Amino acid sequence: MSLSQFIQVTITPCLLVSAIGLLLLSMTNRYTHLTNSIRLMKCKNLKIVMYKRIRTLKFAILSALLSVLCLCVLMIFFFQVLVSKGSEENVVIIILFTSSLLFLLLSLSLFTFDMFVSLNSIHKKLTAEGVLPV
């Protein structure tokens, strides 16, 4: 597989990563709005409803992140095929492309961790306020 063939094969996963990125932007904006709103609310019943919405968004965001993770791994495997049959002048391109995907995977992992920490913080706050059961 030549470099140009590789690019043709991986264009769909790359476009899908971009599209999922836009969805993630929208979902994280909603997540941020809900978490900020719940901190300012006084009504206990509304806090419970908002907390359920945040938990639903958490799983939606996690699903999108796992989708991007799978796409990145797929592109890495495509790249490994190129490496195994490619020439030595492609080594710099291979190293840069693989590094960029690995950094993307690291970024997705750190974002997921941050989202869980944020939700855990809200859960502790609502438990301390008596909104959620212990």
Side-chain angles (χ1 to χ4, degrees), residues 57-89:
L57 266 175
K58 176 187 79 169
F59 289 115
I61 291 170
L62 183 61
S63 297
L65 291 173
L66 288 173
S67 174
V68 173
L69 178 94
C70 291
L71 287 169
C72 290
V73 171
L74 173 70
M75 286 188 285
I76 288 173
F77 281 126
F78 279 148
F79 221 60
Q80 293 303 320
V81 169
L82 178 67
V83 170
S84 65
K85 297 182 181 179
S87 62
E88 291 187 21
E89 63 254 7

Short mmCIF file of all heavy atoms in Angstrom, two decimals, residues 57-89:
data_model
loop_
_atom_site.label_atom_id
_atom_site.label_comp_id
_atom_site.label_asym_id
_atom_site.label_seq_id
_atom_site.Cartn_x
_atom_site.Cartn_y
_atom_site.Cartn_z
N LEU A 57 -25.66 12.70 29.81
CA LEU A 57 -24.66 13.35 28.95
C LEU A 57 -23.28 12.71 29.12
O LEU A 57 -22.52 12.60 28.17
CB LEU A 57 -24.58 14.84 29.26
CG LEU A 57 -25.43 15.75 28.41
CD1 LEU A 57 -25.34 17.18 28.91
CD2 LEU A 57 -25.04 15.68 26.96
N LYS A 58 -22.98 12.31 30.34
CA LYS A 58 -21.69 11.66 30.59
C LYS A 58 -21.54 10.42 29.72
O LYS A 58 -20.50 10.22 29.08
CB LYS A 58 -21.55 11.29 32.07
CG LYS A 58 -20.26 10.53 32.39
CD LYS A 58 -20.22 10.02 33.82
CE LYS A 58 -21.04 8.77 33.95
NZ LYS A 58 -20.86 8.07 35.22
N PHE A 59 -22.58 9.61 29.65
CA PHE A 59 -22.50 8.40 28.84
C PHE A 59 -22.50 8.71 27.34
O PHE A 59 -21.86 8.01 26.56
CB PHE A 59 -23.62 7.43 29.21
CG PHE A 59 -23.41 6.82 30.58
CD1 PHE A 59 -24.30 7.09 31.60
CD2 PHE A 59 -22.33 6.00 30.83
CE1 PHE A 59 -24.09 6.54 32.86
CE2 PHE A 59 -22.12 5.44 32.08
CZ PHE A 59 -23.01 5.71 33.10
N ALA A 60 -23.19 9.77 26.95
CA ALA A 60 -23.16 10.18 25.54
C ALA A 60 -21.76 10.62 25.14
O ALA A 60 -21.24 10.24 24.08
CB ALA A 60 -24.17 11.29 25.30
N ILE A 61 -21.14 11.43 25.99
CA ILE A 61 -19.78 11.91 25.72
C ILE A 61 -18.80 10.74 25.74
O ILE A 61 -17.94 10.63 24.86
CB ILE A 61 -19.38 12.99 26.74
CG1 ILE A 61 -20.20 14.27 26.49
CG2 ILE A 61 -17.89 13.30 26.65
CD1 ILE A 61 -20.06 15.32 27.58
N LEU A 62 -18.96 9.84 26.69
CA LEU A 62 -18.08 8.68 26.77
C LEU A 62 -18.20 7.82 25.52
O LEU A 62 -17.20 7.34 24.98
CB LEU A 62 -18.40 7.86 28.02
CG LEU A 62 -17.51 6.65 28.27
CD1 LEU A 62 -16.06 7.06 28.47
CD2 LEU A 62 -18.01 5.89 29.48
N SER A 63 -19.41 7.64 25.01
CA SER A 63 -19.62 6.86 23.78
C SER A 63 -18.93 7.51 22.59
O SER A 63 -18.30 6.83 21.78
CB SER A 63 -21.11 6.71 23.49
OG SER A 63 -21.74 6.01 24.52
N ALA A 64 -19.04 8.83 22.49
CA ALA A 64 -18.38 9.54 21.39
C ALA A 64 -16.86 9.42 21.51
O ALA A 64 -16.15 9.22 20.51
CB ALA A 64 -18.80 11.01 21.38
N LEU A 65 -16.35 9.53 22.73
CA LEU A 65 -14.91 9.40 22.94
C LEU A 65 -14.42 8.00 22.60
O LEU A 65 -13.35 7.83 21.99
CB LEU A 65 -14.55 9.75 24.37
CG LEU A 65 -14.71 11.22 24.76
CD1 LEU A 65 -14.49 11.41 26.25
CD2 LEU A 65 -13.76 12.09 23.97
N LEU A 66 -15.20 6.98 22.95
CA LEU A 66 -14.82 5.61 22.60
C LEU A 66 -14.85 5.40 21.09
O LEU A 66 -14.02 4.67 20.54
CB LEU A 66 -15.73 4.61 23.31
CG LEU A 66 -15.51 4.48 24.80
CD1 LEU A 66 -16.58 3.58 25.43
CD2 LEU A 66 -14.13 3.94 25.10
N SER A 67 -15.77 6.06 20.42
CA SER A 67 -15.83 5.98 18.97
C SER A 67 -14.57 6.56 18.34
O SER A 67 -13.96 5.96 17.45
CB SER A 67 -17.07 6.74 18.46
OG SER A 67 -17.07 6.79 17.06
N VAL A 68 -14.15 7.73 18.82
CA VAL A 68 -12.92 8.34 18.31
C VAL A 68 -11.72 7.47 18.66
O VAL A 68 -10.80 7.30 17.84
CB VAL A 68 -12.75 9.77 18.87
CG1 VAL A 68 -11.40 10.35 18.49
CG2 VAL A 68 -13.85 10.67 18.35
N LEU A 69 -11.72 6.89 19.83
CA LEU A 69 -10.64 5.99 20.23
C LEU A 69 -10.53 4.82 19.25
O LEU A 69 -9.43 4.50 18.78
CB LEU A 69 -10.89 5.48 21.65
CG LEU A 69 -9.87 4.49 22.16
CD1 LEU A 69 -8.79 5.21 22.94
CD2 LEU A 69 -10.54 3.45 23.02
N CYS A 70 -11.66 4.21 18.92
CA CYS A 70 -11.65 3.09 17.96
C CYS A 70 -11.16 3.53 16.59
O CYS A 70 -10.40 2.82 15.93
CB CYS A 70 -13.04 2.48 17.85
SG CYS A 70 -13.57 1.61 19.33
N LEU A 71 -11.59 4.72 16.16
CA LEU A 71 -11.13 5.24 14.86
C LEU A 71 -9.63 5.48 14.86
O LEU A 71 -8.95 5.20 13.87
CB LEU A 71 -11.88 6.52 14.52
CG LEU A 71 -13.34 6.34 14.11
CD1 LEU A 71 -14.03 7.69 14.05
CD2 LEU A 71 -13.44 5.62 12.79
N CYS A 72 -9.10 6.01 15.95
CA CYS A 72 -7.66 6.24 16.04
C CYS A 72 -6.89 4.93 15.98
O CYS A 72 -5.88 4.82 15.28
CB CYS A 72 -7.31 6.99 17.31
SG CYS A 72 -7.85 8.70 17.30
N VAL A 73 -7.37 3.93 16.70
CA VAL A 73 -6.71 2.63 16.67
C VAL A 73 -6.79 2.03 15.27
O VAL A 73 -5.81 1.47 14.76
CB VAL A 73 -7.32 1.68 17.73
CG1 VAL A 73 -6.81 0.27 17.57
CG2 VAL A 73 -7.03 2.21 19.13
N LEU A 74 -7.93 2.19 14.61
CA LEU A 74 -8.09 1.71 13.24
C LEU A 74 -7.07 2.37 12.31
O LEU A 74 -6.42 1.69 11.51
CB LEU A 74 -9.50 2.00 12.74
CG LEU A 74 -9.78 1.72 11.27
CD1 LEU A 74 -9.78 0.22 11.00
CD2 LEU A 74 -11.08 2.36 10.85
N MET A 75 -6.91 3.68 12.44
CA MET A 75 -5.95 4.39 11.59
C MET A 75 -4.52 3.96 11.91
O MET A 75 -3.68 3.88 11.01
CB MET A 75 -6.13 5.89 11.72
CG MET A 75 -7.37 6.39 11.00
SD MET A 75 -7.51 8.17 10.92
CE MET A 75 -7.99 8.57 12.57
N ILE A 76 -4.23 3.68 13.18
CA ILE A 76 -2.90 3.19 13.53
C ILE A 76 -2.65 1.84 12.86
O ILE A 76 -1.57 1.59 12.32
CB ILE A 76 -2.71 3.12 15.05
CG1 ILE A 76 -2.59 4.53 15.63
CG2 ILE A 76 -1.49 2.28 15.42
CD1 ILE A 76 -2.58 4.59 17.13
N PHE A 77 -3.65 0.96 12.86
CA PHE A 77 -3.49 -0.34 12.20
C PHE A 77 -3.31 -0.18 10.69
O PHE A 77 -2.50 -0.87 10.08
CB PHE A 77 -4.66 -1.28 12.51
CG PHE A 77 -4.57 -1.92 13.85
CD1 PHE A 77 -5.62 -1.83 14.74
CD2 PHE A 77 -3.43 -2.62 14.24
CE1 PHE A 77 -5.55 -2.42 15.99
CE2 PHE A 77 -3.34 -3.22 15.49
CZ PHE A 77 -4.41 -3.12 16.36
N PHE A 78 -4.08 0.75 10.10
CA PHE A 78 -3.86 1.04 8.68
C PHE A 78 -2.43 1.50 8.45
O PHE A 78 -1.79 1.13 7.47
CB PHE A 78 -4.82 2.13 8.19
CG PHE A 78 -6.20 1.65 7.85
CD1 PHE A 78 -7.28 2.48 8.03
CD2 PHE A 78 -6.42 0.39 7.32
CE1 PHE A 78 -8.56 2.07 7.70
CE2 PHE A 78 -7.68 -0.04 6.99
CZ PHE A 78 -8.76 0.79 7.19
N PHE A 79 -1.96 2.32 9.36
CA PHE A 79 -0.60 2.85 9.23
C PHE A 79 0.44 1.75 9.39
O PHE A 79 1.48 1.76 8.73
CB PHE A 79 -0.39 3.97 10.25
CG PHE A 79 0.37 5.12 9.70
CD1 PHE A 79 -0.11 5.83 8.62
CD2 PHE A 79 1.58 5.48 10.25
CE1 PHE A 79 0.60 6.89 8.10
CE2 PHE A 79 2.29 6.55 9.74
CZ PHE A 79 1.80 7.25 8.66
N GLN A 80 0.18 0.80 10.25
CA GLN A 80 1.10 -0.32 10.42
C GLN A 80 1.21 -1.14 9.14
O GLN A 80 2.27 -1.65 8.80
CB GLN A 80 0.67 -1.21 11.59
CG GLN A 80 0.78 -0.53 12.93
CD GLN A 80 2.18 -0.03 13.22
OE1 GLN A 80 3.16 -0.69 12.94
NE2 GLN A 80 2.27 1.16 13.79
N VAL A 81 0.09 -1.27 8.41
CA VAL A 81 0.12 -1.96 7.13
C VAL A 81 1.03 -1.20 6.16
O VAL A 81 1.83 -1.79 5.44
CB VAL A 81 -1.31 -2.09 6.54
CG1 VAL A 81 -1.27 -2.55 5.09
CG2 VAL A 81 -2.12 -3.05 7.39
N LEU A 82 0.92 0.13 6.18
CA LEU A 82 1.77 0.95 5.33
C LEU A 82 3.23 0.79 5.71
O LEU A 82 4.10 0.69 4.85
CB LEU A 82 1.36 2.43 5.43
CG LEU A 82 2.19 3.41 4.63
CD1 LEU A 82 2.00 3.18 3.14
CD2 LEU A 82 1.83 4.83 5.00
N VAL A 83 3.50 0.74 7.00
CA VAL A 83 4.88 0.60 7.48
C VAL A 83 5.47 -0.74 7.04
O VAL A 83 6.61 -0.81 6.58
CB VAL A 83 4.95 0.74 9.02
CG1 VAL A 83 6.32 0.35 9.54
CG2 VAL A 83 4.60 2.15 9.43
N SER A 84 4.69 -1.79 7.19
CA SER A 84 5.22 -3.11 6.88
C SER A 84 5.52 -3.29 5.39
O SER A 84 6.37 -4.08 5.03
CB SER A 84 4.26 -4.19 7.36
OG SER A 84 3.05 -4.12 6.64
N LYS A 85 4.85 -2.51 4.54
CA LYS A 85 5.06 -2.65 3.10
C LYS A 85 5.60 -1.37 2.47
O LYS A 85 5.75 -1.30 1.26
CB LYS A 85 3.76 -3.03 2.42
CG LYS A 85 3.25 -4.37 2.88
CD LYS A 85 2.01 -4.78 2.19
CE LYS A 85 1.57 -6.14 2.75
NZ LYS A 85 0.37 -6.63 2.18
N GLY A 86 5.88 -0.37 3.30
CA GLY A 86 6.32 0.92 2.77
C GLY A 86 7.82 0.99 2.59
O GLY A 86 8.57 0.07 2.91
N SER A 87 8.26 2.10 2.08
CA SER A 87 9.69 2.30 1.89
C SER A 87 10.25 3.12 3.05
O SER A 87 9.52 3.67 3.86
CB SER A 87 9.94 3.03 0.57
OG SER A 87 9.33 4.31 0.60
N GLU A 88 11.56 3.21 3.13
CA GLU A 88 12.20 3.87 4.26
C GLU A 88 12.08 5.39 4.22
O GLU A 88 12.27 6.03 5.24
CB GLU A 88 13.66 3.44 4.33
CG GLU A 88 13.81 1.99 4.73
CD GLU A 88 15.25 1.61 4.97
OE1 GLU A 88 16.08 2.50 5.21
OE2 GLU A 88 15.53 0.41 4.91
N GLU A 89 11.79 5.99 3.08
CA GLU A 89 11.67 7.45 3.05
C GLU A 89 10.38 7.95 3.71
O GLU A 89 10.21 9.12 3.97
CB GLU A 89 11.78 8.00 1.62
CG GLU A 89 10.69 7.54 0.69
CD GLU A 89 11.20 6.51 -0.31
OE1 GLU A 89 12.34 6.06 -0.20
OE2 GLU A 89 10.42 6.16 -1.19
#
